[in-house]
Amino acid sequence: MLSHIRRTLSLVRGCSGVCRIQTSTNPARSSSSFSDLTTASDSGGLVLRSQSTDVYLNLALEDWIDANLDLQQRSVLLLWGNQPAVVIGRHQNPWTECNLPAMRKAGIPLARRRSGGGTVYHDLGNLNLTFFTSKKAYDRQRNLKVVTDALRRIRPELDVKATERFDILLNGHLKISGSASRLSRKSSYHHCTLLHSADRSTLSASLRPSCPGILSNATPSVPSPVANLVDHAPALQWEELLDALEHQYNTEFGFSAASTLVNPADEAAFPGLSRMEAELRSWDWTFSKTPKFSIQTVLDLTDARSARSSAQLNMEIKSGLIESCQLDVPTDWLPQRLIGELSGVLVGERFCGHRAAAAVTALLRSESGELQDRLTNLCDAVVRAMG
Amino acid sequence: MAACRLLRSLSSNFITVLPSLSRSAPLCRLRPVSTPCFGRTLTSSSRLTAALKFTDKHEWIRVEEDGHGTVGISNFAQEALGDVVYCGLPEVGTQLAQQDEFGALESVKAASELYSPLTGEVVEVNELLADKPGLVNKSCYKDGWLMKMTIAKPEELDALMDETAYERYIRSIED
């Protein structure tokens, strides 16, 4: 019995006696599972901080908690932050929402979350809060009240207010927080961002379209001017903010939960989480889930030698793959045969500049001289149009 | 969007006309005279609701003449969701076990997961919803159907609720 308690205690560093651990009379019962631990403790609230800064692990942790913890009797607050990443909503189009080439250059990954809503930029200056409850107890305004009350308590001079759209605005017009939610079988989660000290120039560079001319019925983001809390309260420390939020969560909901550190990379504590993380990380989930869209754009084919010339590109992209490709090029500039071959090579490929560039290599090698130059020019323009 | 506002104002007219329908009473009564899915005739409502079976996730399935099942969400569900802005539906050919997640409906409220009422294969998806996701609110039993699937295990239908049982179920969870 004692060794059982020792094992579970080591999992719960930082958890005070408030999380009373039920002793088991059966010494054979292994209890390294996180859900075992939480079912044993007081019903009421649980406050967790993720030790991971990997966006996919943290998103998977949310899904794991939603699927594995009994949220009918207990609510959970999870605090987490990520290394730089862009997170799009469930039904969004990453090519319209963010600058994929710039992100690739900067090593900023893209993640698609399971909740709805718009696109956000995460880095270690942005705090994420996830409020897990039963569906009955789902109340976003009350959750946001936890945030605004906490801020008012530690910085009463800050003018912060939650809006009808579930944003939090500073001084009436600067967005410091946005929300999104997911409702599943019996439970719900509402998560929101909170800009403490994020890198605003990388934020605005990332949250721009990858390429022009996209026609899509994916859910759009509502762009807003943003601000960091430290811009208006320079002495506000990260830890101070987290402590205030946890304290306010307990106050608002009448809990007395101490903060517990959790590591989503610990498969023993979170069995099955790595499978969820792998799915979130996959190309299929991130890109293939993009609602069908089309691109209609004009390609500039002007080169040093020839007069101004252009082509019309029409592409349909379904499940992240080029379903059809139509190029209207002046027929005296390139023979129709080559245009047809180029389209043929692109259809079926992932909608991705790299893939397109690789796919056209063989076609380019088969030509020479001026034709090859013009074809290269056209291919470059097509690849550029794909972001 | 204008249509949704119209629907809401018409619904509130409905409520003053029929005082027995209070805000707290389940709006999904399924008897044609009180259906808030505005615009359908009494007789078509009767025919449509006659063969519906319901899940506890507020989805319905109707067995068609060709043996396939048409799937949608109930009036209770569309009311709870609010205006649907996007329908995330599966690919044709997707194999689903009963209760598998098969997509999500996004509304201002949240992204709400959809759970397959039966085991089978997706044979058709409602393409109209791509441009008109609001059909799920306006016509949840007719034009707002979500997908059609094969019925691999017909016995699963027996375990679903019929209209009367579903109404009872709604009343019980609203208490």
Side-chain angles (χ1 to χ4, degrees), chain A residues 253-268:
Chain A
F253 293 102
F255 303 145
S256 49
S259 184
T260 308
L261 285 173
V262 291
N263 180 8
D266 183 349
E267 184 70 11

Side-chain angles (χ1 to χ4, degrees), chain A residues 90-91 114-117 136 138 140 181-185 217 219 291 318-319, chain B residues 57 86 88 91 99 101 103-104 106 108-113 115 130-131 173:
Chain A
R90 175 84 172 251
H91 301 123
R114 292 198 192 277
S115 55
K136 265 208 167 105
Y138 176 65
R140 287 170 291 176
S181 317
R182 178 174 177 250
L183 300 176
S184 52
R185 270 175 236 277
N217 66 352
T219 53
K318 186 168 180 244
S319 304
Chain B
K57 305 277 174 301
Y86 194 85
E91 295 289 320
Q99 296 196 36
E101 286 176 0
E106 187 165 345
V108 168
K109 182 168 186 178
S112 296
E113 297 289 348
Y115 299 93
D131 288 327
I173 55 181

Side-chain angles (χ1 to χ4, degrees), chain A residues 106-271:
Chain A
I108 297 174
L110 172 72
R112 179 188 299 272
R113 57 180 189 265
R114 292 198 192 277
S115 55
T119 300
V120 284
Y121 169 80
H122 288 188
D123 67 18
L124 293 173
N126 169 65
L127 175 65
N128 299 302
L129 299 92
T130 310
F131 298 85
F132 298 85
T133 61
S134 65
K135 283 210 248 202
K136 265 208 167 105
Y138 176 65
D139 187 341
R140 287 170 291 176
Q141 284 298 353
R142 195 172 182 193
N143 298 335
L144 294 182
K145 184 170 180 291
V146 167
V147 180
T148 51
D149 283 354
L151 287 171
R152 285 189 198 118
R153 215 168 57 83
I154 56 175
R155 290 294 185 280
E157 73 276 15
L158 286 178
D159 168 16
V160 289
K161 196 158 180 285
T163 69
E164 278 175 357
R165 268 195 73 241
F166 309 101
D167 289 342
I168 299 179
L169 300 182
L170 184 63
N171 298 343
H173 67 285
L174 295 169
K175 183 169 168 180
I176 57 169
S177 168
S179 284
S181 317
R182 178 174 177 250
L183 300 176
S184 52
R185 270 175 236 277
K186 291 188 181 156
S187 53
S188 70
Y189 62 75
H190 159 220
H191 49 202
C192 62
T193 52
L194 186 56
L195 290 173
H196 171 268
S197 50
D199 178 350
R200 286 184 42 198
S201 72
T202 309
L203 184 155
S204 47
S206 303
L207 301 185
R208 255 168 228 178
S210 293
C211 43
I214 295 183
L215 300 167
S216 153
N217 66 352
T219 53
S221 295
V222 176
S224 311
V226 297
N228 280 313
L229 283 168
V230 295
D231 294 339
H232 298 257
L236 178 62
Q237 300 297 312
W238 181 263
E239 274 300 319
E240 186 189 356
L241 180 60
L242 265 61
D243 287 343
L245 289 163
E246 290 172 352
H247 181 270
Q248 198 61 38
Y249 177 73
N250 280 324
T251 303
E252 174 66 34
F253 293 102
F255 303 145
S256 49
S259 184
T260 308
L261 285 173
V262 291
N263 180 8
D266 183 349
E267 184 70 11
F270 299 99

Side-chain angles (χ1 to χ4, degrees), chain A residues 30-102:
Chain A
S30 103
S31 182
S32 60
S33 145
F34 183 73
S35 58
D36 279 347
L37 171 70
T38 53
T39 51
S41 58
D42 262 344
S43 68
L46 201 59
V47 171
L48 307 174
R49 292 194 196 184
S50 174
Q51 291 176 279
S52 174
T53 56
D54 178 284
V55 65
Y56 305 109
L57 274 175
N58 282 324
L59 289 173
L61 176 59
E62 284 185 316
D63 287 338
W64 192 97
I65 291 172
D66 189 72
N68 289 282
L69 295 198
D70 178 4
L71 295 166
Q72 301 312 303
Q73 303 303 323
R74 164 185 298 103
S75 300
V76 179
L77 171 66
L78 172 70
L79 300 177
W80 46 293
N82 300 316
Q83 298 287 343
V86 170
V87 182
I88 57 174
R90 175 84 172 251
H91 301 123
Q92 292 205 293
N93 181 323
W95 289 277
T96 53
E97 297 295 336
C98 58
N99 190 343
L100 293 167

